[in-house]
Each structure stands twice: as C-alpha cells, then as structure tokens.
Amino acid sequence: MLDQRLNDARKPTEEQPGLRNVMNRVDAEITVQVEGLRREFDSKEGKVVALDGVNLQVRKGEIFGVLGPNGAGKTTMIRILSTLLLPTAGKAGVMGFDVEHEPEKIRAVINMASGAERAGYDFISARGNLWFFSQLYGIPTEEAHRRINELSDMLGLQNYLDRKFYALSTGYKQRVTLVRAFINDPKVVFLDEPTIGLDVMTALSIREYILKQAKEHGRTILLATHNMAEVDAICNRVAIIDKGKILACDTPAALKRSLGAPSLVLEVSPIPAPGSLEPIGKLEGVKGYTSSVDEERGLSRIQVVVDGDGSAQSVVDSVRKSGMTVVSNWRQQATLEEVFVALVGRGFREREHEAAQ
Amino acid sequence: MSLRAMVASIRVGWYREFNWTNPLTGFSLRTVGPLASVIAASTVYYVGSTNNVPPSFEPSRLAYILIGAALYAHVAAYSWVPTLAIAEGKWTYVFPQVYISPHSSLPYLTGRTLASFVTSTMTVLVSLVLSFYVLSSVFHTNIPFMVNPLSVSLLFLAMLVNIFAALGLGLLLSAYALFATKFEWALPTYVAGLLMVFSEALFPVSALGWPLSAIANVLPFTEFMRASRQAMIQGGTVYSYFSYLGLALLGGIVVLVMGFLAFRYAENRARRLGVIDKKTA
C-alpha cells in the first residue's frame, strides 16, 4: 500500500513529459551548485582526501541522491553545504550564496538532518525539543506549534509528541529529527542517511514524507545515502560517488539503461576463498562484479556486470573451471549497485572493506 | 530572531540547571554545593584562628570569607556553562544544529549562561542566608553583615554587572571547547581553581606578592568581590562600592569583548578543521 503511494507520488517527475522538460531545461533554477570542491583532512597517516574535485548542480524542487559506499565523501559534502565545514578548495553555493563567505544567508534557507545523529535533549519532550529548534529560526510560538502538528501528522508522530525524547524508539526519534529538518520551512534540505537502521515500514513512511516535501512544497532535497532502493524509490537524479569523486550523474533509470545488457547473477558453492573470484574481473566483456555470502544456505551470490551473452557464458565457464558448482544462474535488469560495479569494478561491500583496511 | 533563540535557550538552560528534575528537587540539590563550601571555608577559618595562641579570630574576617566563598561558588557555577553547552552539545548533536541555524550560537550560549546565572543567584543567596544563621548560632558570634533592602540591592547589582565578565570568561573557555578534542570538560575546573586564588575569594590578593597581585588586581572578578563586600559587610562605603563596581564593569566589558573575538576566531578555525560536530573524548 505504502509502496504504491510512493510510486504514485513519483509518477509526475518520471512520466509527465511536461515536468520532465522543465527539469531538463538548461535555465532551470539551480539551488545547489558545487564546482571543483575539494576537502582534505589531516590524519596520522597524512592527508586524506574526502572530496576530490566534485562538480554538481541541483535544481529547485529536485530530490537529488548522492549514492556511494561508506567513506565515499557523501557526509563531507553535506557538512560543507550545511556550513558546518569549510572546503579546502573549490566553490560551493546554496541558493546563490557562497558557503565560505555567506554562511548566515545559507543558514536562513536550509536545514539538515542526519540518520546517525538524532539531535535533542533527552529529558525534554519531543514537542519541547521541536519548539526549541523552531525558536532558533525566530518562528512565533503559535506558528511553531502549528507546524509541529502539521509535520508530525504527516509522519504519524502526533501521539508521541508529549513523550520525553529519550523514551522514544529509534524510529520515532528519527521522525522527530525529520520534523525538525522542515520546521523552518527551508528551501533546501540536506538529509544524510535518513532511514539508516530503521525498519522497512518506518523507512517507507519517511520516504513518502520526503517526497511530499519536495513535490508539494517545492523544496530541494539533497539525499546522501548508500541505500540503492531509496534512491531508486524517490530520487529524480542521482550522483554516484566513490573516493571523493563523482563517477556518474543522471536519473536512476538512465544510469541503469546505460549498462545495456542485463547483469548475470550466479549462486555458487562452496563459498569461494578470498581472492579466488578475481579472474572473473579480468575476463573480456566483464565490467565488474560483486559478491555476498549466504551463510544460511552455504553459498555465495556473485553479481557480474557483463556487456553481452558471450561474456556471461565465459563467466559461467570460468567459475566452473575454478572448481565451484554453479547452483543457479539468471540474468536480471541492472540495479544501481550494478551501475556502481560497472563504474568501479567492485561493489559497495568490497569498497567499504577496502576502505576499512 | 536572536532574541527568541536566547529566550528558548534560557528555558532549556533552566531545565538543564535543575538536572531536568522538578525545580524544588533541583534547587535543593543545587544549594547543597555552595552551602557546603561556604560552611567549610568559614569553619576552617574559625577553627584555625581560635586555636592560635593568642587567638586571632575576627568576626569581620569571617564575614569576608563567607561572602567570598559564596560568590566564588556563584561565579564558578555559571561562567563555565558555555563550555559545557558546547561539549555536551556535540554529544547530543544539539550544538551543530544550533550552529547551522542563523545567528544562533551566541544567543544560545548567552541564554544558557543567563539561566545558570538565575539559578545560581537563587542558590547562592539561600546558602549565604543559611550559612549566616548556622555559623552565627554554632560559633556564637556576631557576623557583621549589613542585611537591608539597600545592601541586598547593591549586592544584586554587583552580581548583574559581573555577568559581563563571567560571560566573557565563558566565551573564552568555549572558544577552546569549539575545536578542542581534549580537556574541554576539565578546563573550566582548572580555571575555577585559578579564580579562587586570583579573585580575592578567600584572602586579599596583596598576599600573592608582585606580579601575581598586580594581575589579580585588574581582574573584574576581584573588583566584583570587593564591591560585594562593600555592600554587605559593615564598614563599607557607597563611594568604595561604586568605585569597585565601575572597575568591575569596565573590566567585564573588556573580558566580554575578548571572549567574543576569541569565540568568532575559534568558530572559523573549528569550521576549517571540521570539528564543530565532532564528538570528543
């Protein structure tokens, strides 16, 4: 039911040619602009480059996804755009204001929420916390309560507003965080992993809320996430980021279409040893692969991005030659993860593993 | 906009100062600390001086210590609130949210400080009155206090004037807390210890010897202590009171301006380092 509502909410931006044309117009209003953005951090090992010459343009009313594995630079970008952090080089602007020189003007038109950080005083009620944050924006108390009620209604939070913040579950704390992110009627909202760690139903209702905010109020939303389903469900456009660089930027559908052939999925047994799948990546016509382990079934699932049927067959042959049994295999329409695999040669998990090492 | 932010911060600060409990419980708990330090300092003096040979106990000295200990506890209680608000705010992520709302950091810190000033003033006045009666009856001595509407008003005026210096000190400390990853929780305690020595809380700064006494003499907190004693202890004069108060005000404004500039510099530096939203040890 909720899924259906999400799909319905997305329809105009995907299917109405008129709106698509508006979104694609060169002169469409740019609300977030990033040019050659670079950010370095000092660490014990030397300089770490979190963002490396990023260029982006986000248009008014757009839900723009920034998709990448942990450590790709998504949060750094949001911290810069929300004026918490200064860039090392390059330019970033929101609503035409420069993040470095005009932070106060930006602060008046933005807000930000992070799934990992749920801001609030534990011993004050959810309503009290929201009222406090509304006052930072100079909203009269009566108007503040009207907005709190309206936004809480949309997220099913109304019955929990008088509970102390600490007594709320993770999901409800996150709803409070999302009400706070829109309390000042912002023109641009930065959301960093807003559904991380939440159950499916809560995540769906939050996505629906985000869609409504963009569609009905014309807000621009920049959504940093590593959740591909989320990007697929609600983003008009998405930039794929890895190691601080934007690798591709387009609509999710266009990115998937760009892969051409459907990808190959293999379930193999026994679970391959580390490094034993590397020959797959070297086969002709293979753009990249990612694998995961199904402990319960004692097998490994390998997703391979291939350029055609011939290369798919050579992957199957290669796996068999290496002593593994192909339990099942099929072709499937490409997902955003496979777009990432095609661009990087590795999946999110492998990238995060490499980063951790 | 900023005024609303400050008023909301006073309200939040009020709950925080009472440890999120009901005001009566919070007030009672908050009074124990200053009351204990005032009675302890006064008792140490009483026991020490009466056991001297010959005894050197002076009731006016007891009054001096009583006022100094109580007001020292007052200043120490609220001047470190901005530091606490930042260190704690990084943990709860409230401070980064305050920071990214327009023109809110200073009103927020000021509001939190004012809430603490109000609660601390109430608890210190209560502990001053209670310790006066306790010590008078236990030591059977007549402490030479002047307690009348004028003296209490003058004391309150001195406390109000001291807000400038205390807020300035708070901003200086919080400038460090903005980009610090070590010691920001403990720093106010260290500074409070120095303040006890340098602010004439328990003994005249002339006892420190030059150049320490010269440093202590220009601190607005020292002038605040002197003005308060002129207001509350018999023998004080209105002329001396206003002279000290004027110096406390002047010094307070200087410290506040220094604190403001340091805070602005630290904000920019913290933003460059990327530590405004960084949780610390």
Side-chain angles (χ1 to χ4, degrees), chain B residues 244-257:
Chain B
Y244 291 136
L245 193 71
L247 290 171
L249 180 61
L250 193 65
I253 290 170
V254 171
V255 175
L256 184 59
V257 170

Side-chain angles (χ1 to χ4, degrees), chain A residues 20-279:
Chain A
R20 276 298 287 272
N21 287 340
V22 170
M23 297 294 288
N24 291 333
R25 263 165 43 188
V26 178
D27 62 347
E29 194 178 334
I30 303 297
T31 51
V32 178
Q33 184 145 21
V34 172
E35 285 173 18
L37 194 66
R38 183 178 176 85
R39 175 67 209 196
E40 295 169 357
F41 290 101
D42 290 324
S43 76
K44 284 174 188 165
E45 292 79 32
K47 290 227 181 294
V48 175
V49 180
L51 290 175
D52 189 4
V54 168
N55 296 302
L56 272 185
Q57 285 191 335
V58 183
R59 298 164 194 142
K60 186 183 173 195
E62 198 174 21
I63 302 181
F64 187 92
V66 180
L67 179 69
N70 291 326
K74 308 183 297 285
T75 301
T76 302
M77 194 193 303
I78 285 201
R79 289 171 74 207
I80 289 175
L81 290 169
S82 60
T83 76
L84 276 169
L85 179 68
L86 282 169
T88 308
K91 288 270 172 202
V94 179
M95 301 296 294
F97 302 119
D98 183 76
V99 289
E100 188 161 2
H101 303 293
E102 300 167 297
E104 289 297 347
K105 288 179 181 167
I106 291 177
R107 286 168 192 159
V109 294
I110 64 154
N111 210 327
M112 186 262 268
S114 163
E117 304 285 0
R118 297 179 182 107
Y121 291 102
D122 273 350
F123 295 95
I124 295 180
S125 66
R127 183 185 288 283
N129 269 297
L130 291 168
W131 174 82
F132 167 71
F133 288 113
S134 75
Q135 298 308 288
L136 300 178
Y137 292 91
I139 303 166
T141 292
E142 203 174 309
E143 171 66 9
H145 283 296
R146 191 193 62 75
R147 288 191 200 176
I148 291 168
N149 290 336
E150 185 185 308
L151 294 168
S152 300
D153 256 355
M154 291 170 77
L155 276 169
L157 184 64
Q158 195 63 263
N159 294 334
Y160 298 84
L161 282 174
D162 294 323
R163 290 199 190 171
K164 296 271 195 290
F165 193 63
Y166 80 87
L168 296 174
S169 66
T170 306
Y172 280 100
K173 276 184 183 167
Q174 187 58 3
R175 288 168 206 237
V176 174
T177 301
L178 281 158
V179 170
R180 180 190 51 65
F182 292 89
I183 196 82
N184 60 321
D185 198 13
K187 290 188 166 41
V188 182
V189 182
F190 302 106
L191 300 176
D192 189 5
E193 306 279 10
T195 58
I196 195 166
L198 302 180
D199 63 83
V200 176
M201 290 312 289
T202 306
L204 282 174
S205 65
I206 285 176
R207 282 173 202 154
E208 186 183 29
Y209 171 80
I210 293 169
L211 267 170
K212 266 189 188 166
Q213 288 297 332
K215 199 166 128 69
E216 292 174 11
H217 301 276
R219 303 189 211 285
T220 304
I221 293 170
L222 194 145
L223 172 74
T225 181
H226 69 273
N227 185 328
M228 284 155 281
E230 192 159 276
V231 169
D232 242 345
I234 63 173
C235 290
N236 303 109
R237 285 194 304 147
V238 56
I240 294 182
I241 186 170
D242 183 54
K243 291 188 172 175
K245 287 187 173 166
I246 300 286
L247 305 177
C249 180
D250 209 328
T251 62
L255 284 173
K256 287 184 282 186
R257 270 200 309 272
S258 70
L259 288 185
S263 60
L264 169 69
V265 184
L266 302 163
E267 284 184 332
V268 299
S269 168
I271 294 168
S276 62
L277 294 176
E278 275 177 18

Side-chain angles (χ1 to χ4, degrees), chain B residues 39-103:
Chain B
I39 290 179
S42 307
T43 306
V44 166
Y45 168 69
Y46 180 81
V47 173
S49 59
T50 49
N51 285 335
N52 275 354
V53 181
S56 57
F57 176 74
E58 292 173 37
S60 62
R61 178 61 68 186
L62 182 62
Y64 179 101
I65 290 171
L66 214 151
I67 292 273
L71 294 183
Y72 164 75
H74 169 65
V75 175
Y78 80 95
S79 61
W80 77 299
V81 165
T83 315
L84 175 78
I86 289 174
E88 186 181 80
K90 285 185 181 182
W91 272 101
T92 57
Y93 211 68
V94 167
F95 185 73
Q97 289 297 339
V98 169
Y99 184 78
I100 63 159
S101 53
H103 305 289

